[in-house]
Amino acid sequence: MEKIRLSKYFTDCGIMSRRAAEEEIKKGRVTVNGHAAELGEKIDPELDEIIYNGKSVKPQTDSKVYVMLNKPRGIVCTASDEKGRDNVTDLCRDVKDRGGKTVRLYPVGRLDMDSDGLILLTNDGALANKLTHPRHSIPKIYHVTLKGKFTPDDLMILGESIELDGRATMPVKVTKVGETENGTVARFELFEGRNRQIRRMCEAHNVRILQLTRVAIGKIRLDKLEVGKWRYLNEKEIHYLKTV
């Protein structure tokens, strides 16, 4: 079998994300055929013996699980948090596979702590890596309440390319979808998802965000799912994510 990176093997087995696996490798908690694993090391999943914290790492044979969560504000999107803050996996502790076994899920991408809305979680490492790869072009849709009244021209300017971390952003389509008593609700359609991109775009124009909610990832819609609740994706939604 073709060799793959050890960190990728951990995600394929549904154990943890690549980044988390790399941290565990650095800490010396992983061995390959009896020797301490090295960062960037490649392994043959069929021939090599991988041990993590004293236990053999094997691909999961249970069904893969895919859920959506309506993340509340104040919750971080990590599998574990060094500061001990509540995270999205805490809200999905009771998720089970088709065999009735409780499974550990990992968030697909991020949604910052001050934002709410749609986040996907799964134990399918291969799909998670595909969806979060920079070259993947699935759009993410946000409804953002901005303080003040904005015309369509104002919003068009707000979506223009700016420089973030030394690199220009792709233009973002921003349209008006409603109003509040003291604000404007705008729809942002992003294909990049750079770190806190919408907030930093608005800061560049001195525009204050009152609320930022992700409502869709491609054709996967949040719909009427209550804040803090999760549900399994249906077969149509899973097929879409695997083929988009």
Side-chain angles (χ1 to χ4, degrees):
M1 184 175 180
E2 183 181 354
K3 289 191 173 186
I4 62 173
R5 285 188 179 272
L6 179 57
S7 57
K8 180 180 184 300
Y9 181 64
F10 272 83
T11 65
D12 291 347
C13 292
I15 305 298
M16 64 184 75
S17 68
R18 286 194 188 187
R19 182 178 299 177
E22 290 171 354
E23 289 300 317
E24 295 301 285
I25 293 169
K26 288 179 184 178
K27 294 173 182 177
R29 295 174 178 169
V30 182
T31 64
V32 178
N33 300 327
H35 72 264
E38 298 178 0
L39 201 60
E41 183 171 351
K42 291 189 175 183
I43 57 101
D44 185 327
E46 294 183 355
L47 299 178
D48 296 325
E49 182 183 35
I50 316 303
I51 302 295
Y52 170 58
N53 281 345
K55 296 183 179 180
S56 180
V57 179
K58 299 290 185 182
Q60 292 185 353
T61 56
D62 295 326
S63 301
K64 297 298 183 185
V65 177
Y66 311 85
V67 306
M68 70 160 63
L69 169 73
N70 188 348
K71 185 189 92 67
R73 279 180 281 182
I75 303 293
V76 296
C77 283
T78 58
S80 61
D81 183 65
E82 60 186 16
K83 298 180 180 179
R85 295 172 295 186
D86 292 335
N87 63 71
V88 290
T89 58
D90 293 330
L91 299 176
C92 301
R93 290 188 183 278
D94 56 342
V95 175
K96 294 179 172 58
D97 64 17
R98 292 179 179 177
K101 179 182 177 182
T102 300
V103 294
R104 186 175 183 183
L105 303 180
Y106 298 89
V108 180
R110 299 287 181 92
L111 193 59
D112 71 63
M113 187 173 72
D114 297 322
S115 300
D116 56 74
L118 175 61
I119 185 82
L120 302 178
L121 297 98
T122 184
N123 60 350
D124 186 340
L127 180 63
N129 286 330
K130 169 190 169 183
L131 295 176
T132 55
H133 195 282
R135 288 199 297 268
H136 198 68
S137 59
I138 187 169
K140 297 176 178 64
I141 311 300
Y142 301 79
H143 282 180
V144 184
T145 304
L146 309 171
K147 184 174 178 58
K149 302 301 181 181
F150 293 81
T151 67
D153 288 341
D154 294 331
L155 297 177
M156 186 179 300
I157 293 172
L158 195 58
E160 291 178 349
S161 175
I162 65 170
E163 186 174 302
L164 291 181
D165 303 323
R167 184 162 54 93
T169 63
M170 294 174 57
V172 175
K173 185 177 181 181
V174 185
T175 54
K176 183 176 178 178
V177 294
E179 289 187 354
T180 64
E181 184 176 345
N182 61 347
T184 301
V185 182
R187 178 185 186 274
F188 284 67
E189 182 176 352
L190 275 70
F191 285 88
E192 285 184 299
R194 308 264 286 276
N195 183 36
R196 296 176 65 87
Q197 181 174 340
I198 294 177
R199 294 188 183 279
R200 296 166 74 185
M201 289 168 56
C202 290
E203 287 172 3
H205 293 278
N206 296 313
V207 173
R208 181 183 171 192
I209 291 178
L210 300 177
Q211 182 172 353
L212 194 159
T213 303
R214 182 155 65 197
V215 297
I217 298 176
K219 294 181 180 179
I220 309 299
R221 305 287 175 177
L222 189 59
D223 295 328
K224 297 181 180 180
L225 186 63
E226 293 182 24
V227 175
K229 302 296 184 180
W230 62 268
R231 71 164 176 82
Y232 293 102
L233 297 188
N234 60 44
E235 292 299 324
K236 183 177 180 180
E237 291 168 330
I238 295 170
H239 176 74
Y240 166 72
L241 291 175
K242 290 183 175 181
T243 57
V244 67

